[in-house]
Amino acid sequence: MVADSSTAGNTGSATLQFAHYTKVGRQVTVSAQLTNIVTTGMTTTNVFYVRGFPFTSSTTNYSVGSVKTDNVVFEGSRTQIISILGPNDSWMSFQVLGDGITEANVDVSALHPTTSDIAFTITYNV
């Protein structure tokens, strides 16, 4: 589920092209492709999240995953995007990065209201 909060708050919608996970021991890999993300009802200044992961991460987890986007605005001179899943979470967010510039969260405002697409893969420990 796409949302503007990690636990509660407003939710949007997206067409789910695929979503699957594999769990081997304590390691979980999640891959999904969300297309035509609808941000109606979400607060544009809030961070954009994907919630509803199949397992909560361990208390020591910090994972970074790969991302492919279409129609997502990278602010400033940032040119890269990653997914982040922290400790004790069942959700993830995205950050944009660039050379010589600090990372920034991807806010709802970075998404075009109905035409943004995001595909990701992330592996984390439970």
Side-chain angles (χ1 to χ4, degrees):
M1 162 187 337
V2 296
D4 67 359
S5 171
S6 61
T7 57
N10 305 312
T11 60
S13 63
T15 301
L16 190 60
Q17 297 298 326
F18 68 85
H20 54 82
Y21 74 89
T22 303
K23 183 176 184 284
V24 178
R26 295 183 55 231
Q27 188 175 52
V28 180
T29 299
V30 176
S31 297
Q33 181 175 357
L34 310 169
T35 60
N36 302 322
I37 298 169
V38 177
T39 60
T40 303
M42 292 195 285
T43 304
T44 59
T45 55
N46 288 355
V47 176
F48 176 72
Y49 294 92
V50 175
R51 298 191 321 215
F53 276 55
F55 302 95
T56 299
S57 63
S58 72
T59 58
T60 59
N61 183 76
Y62 182 80
S63 297
V64 175
S66 60
V67 181
K68 177 189 174 288
T69 65
D70 187 31
N71 289 323
V72 176
V73 177
F74 290 15
E75 61 180 63
S77 59
R78 293 171 179 92
T79 57
Q80 304 166 48
I81 186 168
I82 59 173
S83 55
I84 302 283
L85 195 151
N88 208 32
D89 291 332
S90 60
W91 52 267
M92 69 172 209
S93 62
F94 301 91
Q95 289 186 335
V96 286
L97 315 138
D99 188 29
I101 189 168
T102 59
E103 66 272 356
N105 289 318
V106 172
D107 293 336
V108 174
S109 63
L111 304 170
H112 293 275
T114 58
T115 61
S116 291
D117 304 330
I118 296 177
F120 66 86
T121 297
I122 193 162
T123 299
Y124 65 101
N125 292 317
V126 296

